[in-house]
Amino acid sequence: STREMFKVATSFNQNLCAWEDNFPYSNANDIFEDSGCNFKGNPSSVHHGPLCASPCNAVSPTDCFTTRDELKAAVDKYVEGDWGT
């Protein structure tokens, strides 16, 4: 069982997405409780995550804005009605 495996491990915050296909979701209650993980909730077998430092399959890195200018350009494009219809 992985229940409470990282509980109170305050310095632990690792991306565990490599585990997502073989993770024991049904035995992982409170696995990240009070840890240093960004996502402390119980991982979902439906979503294959989140697993500690990463939401895993929720968003790919190419879907994220890395600078203010990228975000501003996307918002401007949307406001102008030019969002790729």
PDB file of all heavy atoms in Angstrom, residues 3-44:
ATOM      1  N   ARG A   3      -0.513   4.144   0.913  1.00  0.00           N
ATOM      2  CA  ARG A   3      -1.260   5.061   1.776  1.00  0.00           C
ATOM      3  C   ARG A   3      -0.281   5.830   2.673  1.00  0.00           C
ATOM      4  O   ARG A   3       0.569   5.235   3.331  1.00  0.00           O
ATOM      5  CB  ARG A   3      -2.262   4.284   2.629  1.00  0.00           C
ATOM      6  CG  ARG A   3      -3.193   5.173   3.392  1.00  0.00           C
ATOM      7  CD  ARG A   3      -4.275   4.333   4.072  1.00  0.00           C
ATOM      8  NE  ARG A   3      -5.372   5.158   4.495  1.00  0.00           N
ATOM      9  CZ  ARG A   3      -5.380   5.837   5.639  1.00  0.00           C
ATOM     10  NH1 ARG A   3      -4.357   5.744   6.462  1.00  0.00           N
ATOM     11  NH2 ARG A   3      -6.417   6.592   5.953  1.00  0.00           N
ATOM     12  N   GLU A   4      -0.394   7.141   2.637  1.00  0.00           N
ATOM     13  CA  GLU A   4       0.404   8.058   3.454  1.00  0.00           C
ATOM     14  C   GLU A   4       1.913   7.928   3.227  1.00  0.00           C
ATOM     15  O   GLU A   4       2.719   8.321   4.072  1.00  0.00           O
ATOM     16  CB  GLU A   4       0.069   7.887   4.941  1.00  0.00           C
ATOM     17  CG  GLU A   4      -1.373   8.193   5.259  1.00  0.00           C
ATOM     18  CD  GLU A   4      -1.726   8.033   6.721  1.00  0.00           C
ATOM     19  OE1 GLU A   4      -0.877   7.580   7.520  1.00  0.00           O
ATOM     20  OE2 GLU A   4      -2.864   8.381   7.076  1.00  0.00           O
ATOM     21  N   MET A   5       2.317   7.411   2.082  1.00  0.00           N
ATOM     22  CA  MET A   5       3.728   7.165   1.801  1.00  0.00           C
ATOM     23  C   MET A   5       4.607   8.416   1.960  1.00  0.00           C
ATOM     24  O   MET A   5       5.702   8.343   2.514  1.00  0.00           O
ATOM     25  CB  MET A   5       3.904   6.614   0.392  1.00  0.00           C
ATOM     26  CG  MET A   5       5.335   6.335  -0.008  1.00  0.00           C
ATOM     27  SD  MET A   5       5.442   5.808  -1.721  1.00  0.00           S
ATOM     28  CE  MET A   5       5.710   4.075  -1.502  1.00  0.00           C
ATOM     29  N   PHE A   6       4.128   9.559   1.471  1.00  0.00           N
ATOM     30  CA  PHE A   6       4.908  10.789   1.541  1.00  0.00           C
ATOM     31  C   PHE A   6       4.349  11.765   2.570  1.00  0.00           C
ATOM     32  O   PHE A   6       4.708  12.930   2.579  1.00  0.00           O
ATOM     33  CB  PHE A   6       4.973  11.449   0.169  1.00  0.00           C
ATOM     34  CG  PHE A   6       5.635  10.593  -0.871  1.00  0.00           C
ATOM     35  CD1 PHE A   6       4.885   9.955  -1.846  1.00  0.00           C
ATOM     36  CD2 PHE A   6       7.005  10.392  -0.854  1.00  0.00           C
ATOM     37  CE1 PHE A   6       5.485   9.157  -2.796  1.00  0.00           C
ATOM     38  CE2 PHE A   6       7.621   9.586  -1.802  1.00  0.00           C
ATOM     39  CZ  PHE A   6       6.860   8.967  -2.776  1.00  0.00           C
ATOM     40  N   LYS A   7       3.459  11.282   3.432  1.00  0.00           N
ATOM     41  CA  LYS A   7       2.838  12.132   4.444  1.00  0.00           C
ATOM     42  C   LYS A   7       3.917  12.793   5.303  1.00  0.00           C
ATOM     43  O   LYS A   7       4.842  12.137   5.781  1.00  0.00           O
ATOM     44  CB  LYS A   7       1.895  11.312   5.324  1.00  0.00           C
ATOM     45  CG  LYS A   7       1.133  12.157   6.307  1.00  0.00           C
ATOM     46  CD  LYS A   7       0.117  11.361   7.069  1.00  0.00           C
ATOM     47  CE  LYS A   7      -0.667  12.264   7.994  1.00  0.00           C
ATOM     48  NZ  LYS A   7      -1.721  11.530   8.667  1.00  0.00           N
ATOM     49  N   VAL A   8       3.815  14.079   5.440  1.00  0.00           N
ATOM     50  CA  VAL A   8       4.696  14.925   6.231  1.00  0.00           C
ATOM     51  C   VAL A   8       6.123  14.980   5.671  1.00  0.00           C
ATOM     52  O   VAL A   8       7.048  15.412   6.336  1.00  0.00           O
ATOM     53  CB  VAL A   8       4.695  14.517   7.733  1.00  0.00           C
ATOM     54  CG1 VAL A   8       5.334  15.585   8.587  1.00  0.00           C
ATOM     55  CG2 VAL A   8       3.280  14.279   8.240  1.00  0.00           C
ATOM     56  N   ALA A   9       6.318  14.545   4.449  1.00  0.00           N
ATOM     57  CA  ALA A   9       7.635  14.676   3.789  1.00  0.00           C
ATOM     58  C   ALA A   9       7.671  16.075   3.173  1.00  0.00           C
ATOM     59  O   ALA A   9       7.484  16.257   1.977  1.00  0.00           O
ATOM     60  CB  ALA A   9       7.816  13.598   2.740  1.00  0.00           C
ATOM     61  N   THR A  10       7.891  17.064   3.998  1.00  0.00           N
ATOM     62  CA  THR A  10       7.737  18.464   3.590  1.00  0.00           C
ATOM     63  C   THR A  10       8.725  18.917   2.522  1.00  0.00           C
ATOM     64  O   THR A  10       8.468  19.888   1.822  1.00  0.00           O
ATOM     65  CB  THR A  10       7.838  19.397   4.805  1.00  0.00           C
ATOM     66  OG1 THR A  10       9.079  19.162   5.463  1.00  0.00           O
ATOM     67  CG2 THR A  10       6.689  19.153   5.770  1.00  0.00           C
ATOM     68  N   SER A  11       9.839  18.246   2.363  1.00  0.00           N
ATOM     69  CA  SER A  11      10.786  18.648   1.321  1.00  0.00           C
ATOM     70  C   SER A  11      10.598  17.850   0.031  1.00  0.00           C
ATOM     71  O   SER A  11      11.309  18.071  -0.941  1.00  0.00           O
ATOM     72  CB  SER A  11      12.224  18.520   1.819  1.00  0.00           C
ATOM     73  OG  SER A  11      12.516  17.176   2.139  1.00  0.00           O
ATOM     74  N   PHE A  12       9.631  16.927   0.014  1.00  0.00           N
ATOM     75  CA  PHE A  12       9.393  16.120  -1.178  1.00  0.00           C
ATOM     76  C   PHE A  12       8.428  16.830  -2.117  1.00  0.00           C
ATOM     77  O   PHE A  12       7.320  17.194  -1.729  1.00  0.00           O
ATOM     78  CB  PHE A  12       8.821  14.746  -0.807  1.00  0.00           C
ATOM     79  CG  PHE A  12       8.667  13.845  -1.997  1.00  0.00           C
ATOM     80  CD1 PHE A  12       9.759  13.149  -2.488  1.00  0.00           C
ATOM     81  CD2 PHE A  12       7.450  13.718  -2.644  1.00  0.00           C
ATOM     82  CE1 PHE A  12       9.630  12.332  -3.606  1.00  0.00           C
ATOM     83  CE2 PHE A  12       7.316  12.904  -3.752  1.00  0.00           C
ATOM     84  CZ  PHE A  12       8.417  12.210  -4.231  1.00  0.00           C
ATOM     85  N   ASN A  13       8.822  17.042  -3.379  1.00  0.00           N
ATOM     86  CA  ASN A  13       7.964  17.643  -4.395  1.00  0.00           C
ATOM     87  C   ASN A  13       8.499  17.234  -5.759  1.00  0.00           C
ATOM     88  O   ASN A  13       9.130  18.018  -6.460  1.00  0.00           O
ATOM     89  CB  ASN A  13       7.927  19.165  -4.255  1.00  0.00           C
ATOM     90  CG  ASN A  13       6.909  19.785  -5.178  1.00  0.00           C
ATOM     91  OD1 ASN A  13       5.924  19.159  -5.547  1.00  0.00           O
ATOM     92  ND2 ASN A  13       7.126  21.027  -5.559  1.00  0.00           N
ATOM     93  N   GLN A  14       8.283  15.987  -6.131  1.00  0.00           N
ATOM     94  CA  GLN A  14       8.808  15.447  -7.378  1.00  0.00           C
ATOM     95  C   GLN A  14       7.693  15.134  -8.369  1.00  0.00           C
ATOM     96  O   GLN A  14       6.582  14.803  -7.980  1.00  0.00           O
ATOM     97  CB  GLN A  14       9.594  14.162  -7.097  1.00  0.00           C
ATOM     98  CG  GLN A  14      10.771  14.349  -6.171  1.00  0.00           C
ATOM     99  CD  GLN A  14      11.831  15.245  -6.756  1.00  0.00           C
ATOM    100  OE1 GLN A  14      12.240  15.067  -7.894  1.00  0.00           O
ATOM    101  NE2 GLN A  14      12.279  16.229  -5.989  1.00  0.00           N
ATOM    102  N   ASN A  15       8.006  15.206  -9.634  1.00  0.00           N
ATOM    103  CA  ASN A  15       7.084  14.822 -10.694  1.00  0.00           C
ATOM    104  C   ASN A  15       7.091  13.290 -10.769  1.00  0.00           C
ATOM    105  O   ASN A  15       8.098  12.687 -11.099  1.00  0.00           O
ATOM    106  CB  ASN A  15       7.540  15.430 -12.021  1.00  0.00           C
ATOM    107  CG  ASN A  15       6.648  15.038 -13.171  1.00  0.00           C
ATOM    108  OD1 ASN A  15       5.922  14.056 -13.132  1.00  0.00           O
ATOM    109  ND2 ASN A  15       6.704  15.818 -14.226  1.00  0.00           N
ATOM    110  N   LEU A  16       5.954  12.673 -10.463  1.00  0.00           N
ATOM    111  CA  LEU A  16       5.847  11.218 -10.453  1.00  0.00           C
ATOM    112  C   LEU A  16       4.992  10.703 -11.606  1.00  0.00           C
ATOM    113  O   LEU A  16       4.474   9.587 -11.556  1.00  0.00           O
ATOM    114  CB  LEU A  16       5.267  10.747  -9.113  1.00  0.00           C
ATOM    115  CG  LEU A  16       6.061  11.151  -7.878  1.00  0.00           C
ATOM    116  CD1 LEU A  16       5.344  10.710  -6.615  1.00  0.00           C
ATOM    117  CD2 LEU A  16       7.463  10.581  -7.931  1.00  0.00           C
ATOM    118  N   CYS A  17       4.857  11.485 -12.658  1.00  0.00           N
ATOM    119  CA  CYS A  17       4.009  11.101 -13.784  1.00  0.00           C
ATOM    120  C   CYS A  17       4.479   9.816 -14.461  1.00  0.00           C
ATOM    121  O   CYS A  17       3.679   9.128 -15.091  1.00  0.00           O
ATOM    122  CB  CYS A  17       3.904  12.238 -14.790  1.00  0.00           C
ATOM    123  SG  CYS A  17       3.012  13.658 -14.115  1.00  0.00           S
ATOM    124  N   ALA A  18       5.733   9.458 -14.316  1.00  0.00           N
ATOM    125  CA  ALA A  18       6.211   8.201 -14.889  1.00  0.00           C
ATOM    126  C   ALA A  18       5.503   7.004 -14.248  1.00  0.00           C
ATOM    127  O   ALA A  18       5.453   5.930 -14.831  1.00  0.00           O
ATOM    128  CB  ALA A  18       7.720   8.079 -14.697  1.00  0.00           C
ATOM    129  N   TRP A  19       4.927   7.196 -13.077  1.00  0.00           N
ATOM    130  CA  TRP A  19       4.206   6.135 -12.379  1.00  0.00           C
ATOM    131  C   TRP A  19       2.763   6.005 -12.844  1.00  0.00           C
ATOM    132  O   TRP A  19       2.080   5.047 -12.484  1.00  0.00           O
ATOM    133  CB  TRP A  19       4.156   6.426 -10.892  1.00  0.00           C
ATOM    134  CG  TRP A  19       5.431   6.392 -10.137  1.00  0.00           C
ATOM    135  CD1 TRP A  19       6.696   6.245 -10.623  1.00  0.00           C
ATOM    136  CD2 TRP A  19       5.556   6.520  -8.723  1.00  0.00           C
ATOM    137  NE1 TRP A  19       7.604   6.278  -9.600  1.00  0.00           N
ATOM    138  CE2 TRP A  19       6.930   6.450  -8.424  1.00  0.00           C
ATOM    139  CE3 TRP A  19       4.653   6.697  -7.696  1.00  0.00           C
ATOM    140  CZ2 TRP A  19       7.422   6.541  -7.121  1.00  0.00           C
ATOM    141  CZ3 TRP A  19       5.138   6.789  -6.400  1.00  0.00           C
ATOM    142  CH2 TRP A  19       6.502   6.709  -6.123  1.00  0.00           C
ATOM    143  N   GLU A  20       2.252   6.961 -13.606  1.00  0.00           N
ATOM    144  CA  GLU A  20       0.811   7.064 -13.840  1.00  0.00           C
ATOM    145  C   GLU A  20       0.141   5.802 -14.379  1.00  0.00           C
ATOM    146  O   GLU A  20      -0.998   5.525 -14.023  1.00  0.00           O
ATOM    147  CB  GLU A  20       0.485   8.261 -14.721  1.00  0.00           C
ATOM    148  CG  GLU A  20       0.935   8.136 -16.156  1.00  0.00           C
ATOM    149  CD  GLU A  20       0.685   9.400 -16.947  1.00  0.00           C
ATOM    150  OE1 GLU A  20      -0.259  10.146 -16.649  1.00  0.00           O
ATOM    151  OE2 GLU A  20       1.459   9.651 -17.882  1.00  0.00           O
ATOM    152  N   ASP A  21       0.780   5.019 -15.209  1.00  0.00           N
ATOM    153  CA  ASP A  21       0.152   3.822 -15.765  1.00  0.00           C
ATOM    154  C   ASP A  21       0.154   2.640 -14.802  1.00  0.00           C
ATOM    155  O   ASP A  21      -0.652   1.725 -14.942  1.00  0.00           O
ATOM    156  CB  ASP A  21       0.834   3.411 -17.068  1.00  0.00           C
ATOM    157  CG  ASP A  21       0.544   4.387 -18.194  1.00  0.00           C
ATOM    158  OD1 ASP A  21      -0.519   5.051 -18.152  1.00  0.00           O
ATOM    159  OD2 ASP A  21       1.385   4.510 -19.096  1.00  0.00           O
ATOM    160  N   ASN A  22       1.047   2.634 -13.839  1.00  0.00           N
ATOM    161  CA  ASN A  22       1.153   1.523 -12.901  1.00  0.00           C
ATOM    162  C   ASN A  22       0.928   1.934 -11.451  1.00  0.00           C
ATOM    163  O   ASN A  22       1.249   1.184 -10.541  1.00  0.00           O
ATOM    164  CB  ASN A  22       2.538   0.864 -13.027  1.00  0.00           C
ATOM    165  CG  ASN A  22       2.751   0.286 -14.401  1.00  0.00           C
ATOM    166  OD1 ASN A  22       1.931  -0.473 -14.896  1.00  0.00           O
ATOM    167  ND2 ASN A  22       3.837   0.667 -15.042  1.00  0.00           N
ATOM    168  N   PHE A  23       0.400   3.119 -11.244  1.00  0.00           N
ATOM    169  CA  PHE A  23       0.199   3.643  -9.902  1.00  0.00           C
ATOM    170  C   PHE A  23      -0.954   2.911  -9.208  1.00  0.00           C
ATOM    171  O   PHE A  23      -1.992   2.669  -9.814  1.00  0.00           O
ATOM    172  CB  PHE A  23      -0.116   5.145  -9.992  1.00  0.00           C
ATOM    173  CG  PHE A  23      -0.093   5.839  -8.674  1.00  0.00           C
ATOM    174  CD1 PHE A  23       1.099   6.237  -8.110  1.00  0.00           C
ATOM    175  CD2 PHE A  23      -1.274   6.097  -7.997  1.00  0.00           C
ATOM    176  CE1 PHE A  23       1.125   6.880  -6.885  1.00  0.00           C
ATOM    177  CE2 PHE A  23      -1.256   6.743  -6.777  1.00  0.00           C
ATOM    178  CZ  PHE A  23      -0.056   7.133  -6.217  1.00  0.00           C
ATOM    179  N   PRO A  24      -0.793   2.562  -7.922  1.00  0.00           N
ATOM    180  CA  PRO A  24      -1.871   1.866  -7.190  1.00  0.00           C
ATOM    181  C   PRO A  24      -2.916   2.851  -6.662  1.00  0.00           C
ATOM    182  O   PRO A  24      -2.996   3.124  -5.471  1.00  0.00           O
ATOM    183  CB  PRO A  24      -1.109   1.184  -6.054  1.00  0.00           C
ATOM    184  CG  PRO A  24       0.048   2.089  -5.796  1.00  0.00           C
ATOM    185  CD  PRO A  24       0.428   2.651  -7.146  1.00  0.00           C
ATOM    186  N   TYR A  25      -3.723   3.398  -7.558  1.00  0.00           N
ATOM    187  CA  TYR A  25      -4.680   4.443  -7.201  1.00  0.00           C
ATOM    188  C   TYR A  25      -5.612   4.048  -6.065  1.00  0.00           C
ATOM    189  O   TYR A  25      -5.950   4.863  -5.218  1.00  0.00           O
ATOM    190  CB  TYR A  25      -5.500   4.864  -8.429  1.00  0.00           C
ATOM    191  CG  TYR A  25      -4.668   5.535  -9.486  1.00  0.00           C
ATOM    192  CD1 TYR A  25      -4.187   4.822 -10.577  1.00  0.00           C
ATOM    193  CD2 TYR A  25      -4.341   6.873  -9.387  1.00  0.00           C
ATOM    194  CE1 TYR A  25      -3.413   5.431 -11.542  1.00  0.00           C
ATOM    195  CE2 TYR A  25      -3.558   7.502 -10.348  1.00  0.00           C
ATOM    196  CZ  TYR A  25      -3.100   6.768 -11.416  1.00  0.00           C
ATOM    197  OH  TYR A  25      -2.322   7.373 -12.358  1.00  0.00           O
ATOM    198  N   SER A  26      -6.031   2.800  -6.009  1.00  0.00           N
ATOM    199  CA  SER A  26      -6.993   2.379  -4.989  1.00  0.00           C
ATOM    200  C   SER A  26      -6.367   2.266  -3.600  1.00  0.00           C
ATOM    201  O   SER A  26      -7.079   2.194  -2.602  1.00  0.00           O
ATOM    202  CB  SER A  26      -7.624   1.041  -5.377  1.00  0.00           C
ATOM    203  OG  SER A  26      -6.631   0.041  -5.462  1.00  0.00           O
ATOM    204  N   ASN A  27      -5.046   2.257  -3.510  1.00  0.00           N
ATOM    205  CA  ASN A  27      -4.357   2.151  -2.220  1.00  0.00           C
ATOM    206  C   ASN A  27      -3.521   3.375  -1.899  1.00  0.00           C
ATOM    207  O   ASN A  27      -2.513   3.260  -1.209  1.00  0.00           O
ATOM    208  CB  ASN A  27      -3.433   0.920  -2.211  1.00  0.00           C
ATOM    209  CG  ASN A  27      -4.205  -0.366  -2.258  1.00  0.00           C
ATOM    210  OD1 ASN A  27      -5.246  -0.483  -1.635  1.00  0.00           O
ATOM    211  ND2 ASN A  27      -3.719  -1.317  -3.017  1.00  0.00           N
ATOM    212  N   ALA A  28      -3.912   4.534  -2.411  1.00  0.00           N
ATOM    213  CA  ALA A  28      -3.068   5.719  -2.254  1.00  0.00           C
ATOM    214  C   ALA A  28      -3.736   6.850  -1.476  1.00  0.00           C
ATOM    215  O   ALA A  28      -3.383   8.011  -1.661  1.00  0.00           O
ATOM    216  CB  ALA A  28      -2.643   6.218  -3.628  1.00  0.00           C
ATOM    217  N   ASN A  29      -4.647   6.512  -0.592  1.00  0.00           N
ATOM    218  CA  ASN A  29      -5.303   7.562   0.183  1.00  0.00           C
ATOM    219  C   ASN A  29      -4.288   8.358   0.989  1.00  0.00           C
ATOM    220  O   ASN A  29      -3.411   7.795   1.644  1.00  0.00           O
ATOM    221  CB  ASN A  29      -6.340   6.964   1.130  1.00  0.00           C
ATOM    222  CG  ASN A  29      -7.523   6.398   0.394  1.00  0.00           C
ATOM    223  OD1 ASN A  29      -7.758   6.741  -0.761  1.00  0.00           O
ATOM    224  ND2 ASN A  29      -8.258   5.531   1.044  1.00  0.00           N
ATOM    225  N   ASP A  30      -4.416   9.660   0.907  1.00  0.00           N
ATOM    226  CA  ASP A  30      -3.577  10.592   1.674  1.00  0.00           C
ATOM    227  C   ASP A  30      -2.076  10.437   1.408  1.00  0.00           C
ATOM    228  O   ASP A  30      -1.251  10.780   2.245  1.00  0.00           O
ATOM    229  CB  ASP A  30      -3.844  10.450   3.180  1.00  0.00           C
ATOM    230  CG  ASP A  30      -5.301  10.671   3.525  1.00  0.00           C
ATOM    231  OD1 ASP A  30      -5.927  11.563   2.918  1.00  0.00           O
ATOM    232  OD2 ASP A  30      -5.828   9.950   4.393  1.00  0.00           O
ATOM    233  N   ILE A  31      -1.723   9.923   0.242  1.00  0.00           N
ATOM    234  CA  ILE A  31      -0.313   9.674  -0.075  1.00  0.00           C
ATOM    235  C   ILE A  31       0.545  10.940   0.007  1.00  0.00           C
ATOM    236  O   ILE A  31       1.694  10.882   0.427  1.00  0.00           O
ATOM    237  CB  ILE A  31      -0.153   8.998  -1.455  1.00  0.00           C
ATOM    238  CG1 ILE A  31       1.303   8.596  -1.696  1.00  0.00           C
ATOM    239  CG2 ILE A  31      -0.687   9.872  -2.570  1.00  0.00           C
ATOM    240  CD1 ILE A  31       1.516   7.745  -2.934  1.00  0.00           C
ATOM    241  N   PHE A  32      -0.019  12.092  -0.355  1.00  0.00           N
ATOM    242  CA  PHE A  32       0.761  13.336  -0.364  1.00  0.00           C
ATOM    243  C   PHE A  32       0.336  14.312   0.742  1.00  0.00           C
ATOM    244  O   PHE A  32       0.755  15.462   0.741  1.00  0.00           O
ATOM    245  CB  PHE A  32       0.629  14.027  -1.718  1.00  0.00           C
ATOM    246  CG  PHE A  32       1.063  13.165  -2.873  1.00  0.00           C
ATOM    247  CD1 PHE A  32       0.196  12.882  -3.913  1.00  0.00           C
ATOM    248  CD2 PHE A  32       2.338  12.621  -2.919  1.00  0.00           C
ATOM    249  CE1 PHE A  32       0.585  12.087  -4.983  1.00  0.00           C
ATOM    250  CE2 PHE A  32       2.744  11.822  -3.987  1.00  0.00           C
ATOM    251  CZ  PHE A  32       1.862  11.559  -5.021  1.00  0.00           C
ATOM    252  N   GLU A  33      -0.451  13.843   1.679  1.00  0.00           N
ATOM    253  CA  GLU A  33      -0.956  14.701   2.752  1.00  0.00           C
ATOM    254  C   GLU A  33       0.193  15.331   3.541  1.00  0.00           C
ATOM    255  O   GLU A  33       1.145  14.658   3.940  1.00  0.00           O
ATOM    256  CB  GLU A  33      -1.841  13.883   3.700  1.00  0.00           C
ATOM    257  CG  GLU A  33      -2.453  14.702   4.805  1.00  0.00           C
ATOM    258  CD  GLU A  33      -3.357  13.874   5.706  1.00  0.00           C
ATOM    259  OE1 GLU A  33      -3.842  12.816   5.266  1.00  0.00           O
ATOM    260  OE2 GLU A  33      -3.557  14.290   6.841  1.00  0.00           O
ATOM    261  N   ASP A  34       0.089  16.638   3.740  1.00  0.00           N
ATOM    262  CA  ASP A  34       1.089  17.408   4.506  1.00  0.00           C
ATOM    263  C   ASP A  34       2.514  17.270   3.963  1.00  0.00           C
ATOM    264  O   ASP A  34       3.488  17.440   4.688  1.00  0.00           O
ATOM    265  CB  ASP A  34       1.061  17.023   5.993  1.00  0.00           C
ATOM    266  CG  ASP A  34      -0.280  17.317   6.638  1.00  0.00           C
ATOM    267  OD1 ASP A  34      -0.902  18.333   6.274  1.00  0.00           O
ATOM    268  OD2 ASP A  34      -0.703  16.525   7.493  1.00  0.00           O
ATOM    269  N   SER A  35       2.628  16.953   2.687  1.00  0.00           N
ATOM    270  CA  SER A  35       3.949  16.853   2.063  1.00  0.00           C
ATOM    271  C   SER A  35       4.310  18.191   1.428  1.00  0.00           C
ATOM    272  O   SER A  35       3.547  19.150   1.515  1.00  0.00           O
ATOM    273  CB  SER A  35       3.935  15.768   0.986  1.00  0.00           C
ATOM    274  OG  SER A  35       3.146  16.196  -0.107  1.00  0.00           O
ATOM    275  N   GLY A  36       5.428  18.242   0.752  1.00  0.00           N
ATOM    276  CA  GLY A  36       5.824  19.445   0.031  1.00  0.00           C
ATOM    277  C   GLY A  36       5.284  19.478  -1.388  1.00  0.00           C
ATOM    278  O   GLY A  36       5.615  20.374  -2.167  1.00  0.00           O
ATOM    279  N   CYS A  37       4.454  18.510  -1.752  1.00  0.00           N
ATOM    280  CA  CYS A  37       3.923  18.415  -3.109  1.00  0.00           C
ATOM    281  C   CYS A  37       3.016  19.587  -3.471  1.00  0.00           C
ATOM    282  O   CYS A  37       2.275  20.086  -2.624  1.00  0.00           O
ATOM    283  CB  CYS A  37       3.127  17.120  -3.270  1.00  0.00           C
ATOM    284  SG  CYS A  37       4.119  15.627  -3.127  1.00  0.00           S
ATOM    285  N   ASN A  38       3.061  19.997  -4.721  1.00  0.00           N
ATOM    286  CA  ASN A  38       2.150  21.029  -5.206  1.00  0.00           C
ATOM    287  C   ASN A  38       0.711  20.541  -5.167  1.00  0.00           C
ATOM    288  O   ASN A  38      -0.202  21.305  -4.917  1.00  0.00           O
ATOM    289  CB  ASN A  38       2.492  21.416  -6.645  1.00  0.00           C
ATOM    290  CG  ASN A  38       3.826  22.105  -6.762  1.00  0.00           C
ATOM    291  OD1 ASN A  38       4.314  22.712  -5.823  1.00  0.00           O
ATOM    292  ND2 ASN A  38       4.437  21.999  -7.923  1.00  0.00           N
ATOM    293  N   PHE A  39       0.500  19.257  -5.457  1.00  0.00           N
ATOM    294  CA  PHE A  39      -0.831  18.648  -5.484  1.00  0.00           C
ATOM    295  C   PHE A  39      -0.898  17.620  -4.370  1.00  0.00           C
ATOM    296  O   PHE A  39      -0.306  16.557  -4.459  1.00  0.00           O
ATOM    297  CB  PHE A  39      -1.094  17.995  -6.848  1.00  0.00           C
ATOM    298  CG  PHE A  39      -1.024  18.965  -7.978  1.00  0.00           C
ATOM    299  CD1 PHE A  39       0.157  19.123  -8.690  1.00  0.00           C
ATOM    300  CD2 PHE A  39      -2.115  19.744  -8.313  1.00  0.00           C
ATOM    301  CE1 PHE A  39       0.235  20.026  -9.729  1.00  0.00           C
ATOM    302  CE2 PHE A  39      -2.040  20.655  -9.353  1.00  0.00           C
ATOM    303  CZ  PHE A  39      -0.862  20.802 -10.062  1.00  0.00           C
ATOM    304  N   LYS A  40      -1.627  17.936  -3.295  1.00  0.00           N
ATOM    305  CA  LYS A  40      -1.658  17.078  -2.114  1.00  0.00           C
ATOM    306  C   LYS A  40      -2.853  16.137  -2.079  1.00  0.00           C
ATOM    307  O   LYS A  40      -2.938  15.271  -1.216  1.00  0.00           O
ATOM    308  CB  LYS A  40      -1.643  17.938  -0.859  1.00  0.00           C
ATOM    309  CG  LYS A  40      -0.340  18.679  -0.674  1.00  0.00           C
ATOM    310  CD  LYS A  40      -0.395  19.590   0.532  1.00  0.00           C
ATOM    311  CE  LYS A  40       0.903  20.280   0.812  1.00  0.00           C
ATOM    312  NZ  LYS A  40       1.454  21.076  -0.239  1.00  0.00           N
ATOM    313  N   GLY A  41      -3.777  16.287  -3.013  1.00  0.00           N
ATOM    314  CA  GLY A  41      -4.972  15.448  -3.028  1.00  0.00           C
ATOM    315  C   GLY A  41      -4.680  14.035  -3.507  1.00  0.00           C
ATOM    316  O   GLY A  41      -3.601  13.735  -4.018  1.00  0.00           O
ATOM    317  N   ASN A  42      -5.666  13.161  -3.343  1.00  0.00           N
ATOM    318  CA  ASN A  42      -5.520  11.780  -3.792  1.00  0.00           C
ATOM    319  C   ASN A  42      -5.512  11.730  -5.318  1.00  0.00           C
ATOM    320  O   ASN A  42      -6.391  12.299  -5.963  1.00  0.00           O
ATOM    321  CB  ASN A  42      -6.656  10.920  -3.252  1.00  0.00           C
ATOM    322  CG  ASN A  42      -6.599  10.761  -1.757  1.00  0.00           C
ATOM    323  OD1 ASN A  42      -5.538  10.823  -1.154  1.00  0.00           O
ATOM    324  ND2 ASN A  42      -7.754  10.561  -1.147  1.00  0.00           N
ATOM    325  N   PRO A  43      -4.559  11.050  -5.922  1.00  0.00           N
ATOM    326  CA  PRO A  43      -4.514  10.919  -7.380  1.00  0.00           C
ATOM    327  C   PRO A  43      -5.735  10.162  -7.899  1.00  0.00           C
ATOM    328  O   PRO A  43      -6.234   9.253  -7.248  1.00  0.00           O
ATOM    329  CB  PRO A  43      -3.236  10.118  -7.628  1.00  0.00           C
ATOM    330  CG  PRO A  43      -2.420  10.297  -6.406  1.00  0.00           C
ATOM    331  CD  PRO A  43      -3.389  10.429  -5.294  1.00  0.00           C
ATOM    332  N   SER A  44      -6.188  10.541  -9.078  1.00  0.00           N
ATOM    333  CA  SER A  44      -7.362   9.931  -9.693  1.00  0.00           C
ATOM    334  C   SER A  44      -6.965   8.931 -10.772  1.00  0.00           C
ATOM    335  O   SER A  44      -6.171   9.246 -11.654  1.00  0.00           O
ATOM    336  CB  SER A  44      -8.217  11.035 -10.317  1.00  0.00           C
ATOM    337  OG  SER A  44      -9.131  10.509 -11.241  1.00  0.00           O
TER     338      SER A  44
END
